[in-house]
Amino acid sequence: MSTATASILRRALLYVPSSSPKFLEKSRSLTVDTICYDLEDSVTPSQKPTARTNILSFLSSTHPRPPNITELSVRINAVSSGLALEDLTTILPATHLDAIVVPKVNKASDLHFVTDIIRHTLPERHNDSNNKNPLKILALIESAEAITNLNEICRASPFLSGLIFAAEDFALDLSLTRTPSLTEFLYARSAIATSARAHGLPSTIDLVCTSFRGEEGLSVLQEECLQGKGLGFNGKQCIHPSQVEIAQRTFAPGEKEVEWAVRVVVGDEKADIKGRGAWTLDGKMIDVPVVGKAKATVEKARLCGMGVDAIREKW
Ligand code: 1VU
């Protein structure tokens, strides 16, 4: 397994506009799997140069790494915008930088461009096969063209570590109107989750929920997270700190789910000794794919820091 495809938790990816010193400072106090400091849509054209220098300084060694953020990423401007080269050459020397988010990836050559610049700018981090810490790339899928090119996009870079779905740009491209049911995005979301899986990419991060205030807004978010999880996504893009806890909780396995998974794994060890490939738990048949799913749930629960060993001791 390459470093880009190793298991990594990205249950929530929170955008922070890099043009705002206030938001940058606030991000330091947050607990979240991935922060994405933005140079694209949340930054006006006239603010781009300031945003670039802000983020380079914020992610430099003179500032300590924010303690409760697992992954620090920057979203550059689209390759087709003509701004990506300057974004990359400015930010790549940053000390605390784990991933680059590339928007509007339509074809493999968009990722070839970014990969070549990363290799050229940081050769010591990327050309040594013993180096276990290359930058990772996350690709935003936002158009019909991108959906038809998913296979080539997934194969385009050894640094590619996940796909993200951008609903608003996709709706613009197809002249769709976003509805609460999100059925208009069903094909695109399923295609993304399936392609990423087929190519062994660990992360599939679902559309932004634009509601972020109050009980009603956050219950819309919760529903969207559950629906995305049901389609095979394992994370959610967030635009406000209020969304992070719900996304991270929903994209972690639930307590009952973990307990069931541990019982299946323990039961399978016993069934194996008795030479039984199929057996029964709570009146339902358990066989190889069910055990596989249970093992994956246990592994995810461990990654999320849930008390798997304590549950195992009970069974
Ligand atoms: O309580 P404090 O005053 O200390 O902090 C405020 C506020 O500063 C902070 N906060 C954030 N901090 C970091 N990152 C954020 N994204 C962020 N948003 C807010 O939280 C405290 C409460 O803030 P608030 O409720 O007063 O929120 P505002 O009205 O200030 O801001 C709301 C918006 C939605 C404008 C803001 O959250 C924001 O700009 N979010 C990011 C938008 C963005 O990046 N959009 C592009 C990415 S989405 C995309 O492209 C889809 C593919």
Side-chain angles (χ1 to χ4, degrees):
M1 189 185 284
S2 82
T3 312
T5 55
S7 293
I8 181 161
L9 274 185
R10 296 189 181 104
R11 294 164 298 175
L13 176 149
L14 173 68
Y15 288 103
V16 177
S18 299
S19 50
S20 164
K22 182 180 165 209
F23 285 172
L24 290 181
E25 212 36 57
K26 177 76 177 184
S27 74
R28 202 178 277 292
S29 65
L30 301 174
T31 298
V32 52
D33 288 343
T34 298
I35 289 251
C36 179
Y37 296 105
D38 192 23
L39 292 173
E40 203 216 11
D41 285 355
S42 70
V43 177
T44 61
S46 66
Q47 286 292 307
K48 305 262 186 210
T50 311
R52 286 188 193 111
T53 49
N54 281 352
I55 198 59
L56 175 64
S57 155
F58 187 79
L59 296 177
S60 76
S61 54
T62 48
H63 292 80
R65 195 183 160 101
N68 298 317
I69 301 168
T70 311
E71 182 175 59
L72 298 165
S73 69
V74 172
R75 179 166 72 169
I76 59 171
N77 288 281
V79 171
S80 58
S81 71
L83 299 170
L85 180 61
E86 195 163 354
D87 292 342
L88 285 166
T89 50
T90 307
I91 60 156
L92 284 178
T95 325
H96 313 299
L97 181 61
D98 306 309
I100 301 292
V101 176
V102 187
K104 300 181 178 58
V105 173
N106 286 325
K107 47 196 180 314
S109 59
D110 294 328
L111 292 186
H112 295 159
F113 177 86
V114 175
T115 304
D116 287 349
I117 294 169
I118 290 174
R119 280 209 168 106
H120 182 77
T121 313
L122 301 172
E124 68 296 343
R125 193 168 167 185
H126 297 92
N127 289 343
D128 174 357
S129 55
N130 291 323
N131 190 324
K132 298 278 181 282
N133 187 31
L135 274 182
K136 295 175 189 69
I137 292 177
L138 296 168
L140 270 151
I141 302 300
E142 323 199 15
S143 68
E145 184 185 2
I147 294 292
T148 59
N149 287 335
L150 277 171
N151 273 327
E152 67 168 69
I153 290 170
C154 287
R155 287 194 205 103
S157 172
F159 307 143
L160 188 64
S161 180
L163 301 180
I164 310 176
F165 179 54
E168 309 308 330
D169 283 87
F170 187 78
L172 179 66
D173 190 32
L174 273 78
S175 300
L176 299 173
T177 302
R178 178 175 174 149
T179 64
S181 72
L182 303 174
T183 45
E184 58 280 2
F185 301 128
L186 187 57
Y187 171 68
R189 289 162 88 203
S190 296
I192 288 170
T194 307
S195 300
R197 183 67 218 138
H199 291 273
L201 303 178
S203 292
T204 43
I205 305 178
D206 202 8
L207 43 75
V208 163
C209 176
T210 47
S211 311
F212 63 89
R213 280 198 212 286
E215 216 172 295
E216 207 177 312
L218 294 176
S219 80
V220 174
L221 172 70
Q222 168 84 38
E223 278 307 306
E224 280 193 14
C225 289
L226 287 170
Q227 196 199 54
K229 192 175 177 181
L231 287 173
F233 284 85
N234 50 27
K236 183 89 174 158
Q237 295 164 88
C238 299
I239 45 143
H240 192 278
S242 64
Q243 298 181 318
V244 169
E245 196 275 327
I246 291 174
Q248 299 211 158
R249 181 162 30 83
T250 313
F251 282 101
E255 273 173 37
K256 286 207 172 115
E257 210 182 330
V258 180
E259 180 148 333
W260 169 83
V262 169
R263 288 175 65 207
V264 171
V265 171
V266 171
D268 186 59
E269 287 161 7
K270 292 178 186 163
D272 196 41
I273 292 165
K274 292 183 196 154
R276 296 191 61 171
W279 49 282
T280 309
L281 180 70
D282 300 336
K284 294 199 173 119
M285 184 192 73
I286 307 294
D287 63 358
V288 174
V290 183
V291 174
K293 165 90 177 112
K295 286 182 176 165
T297 301
V298 169
E299 189 188 330
K300 181 88 181 252
R302 280 194 204 283
L303 263 180
C304 295
M306 299 169 83
V308 172
D309 293 331
I311 300 174
R312 206 188 147 99
E313 273 167 26
K314 288 201 299 187
W315 300 95

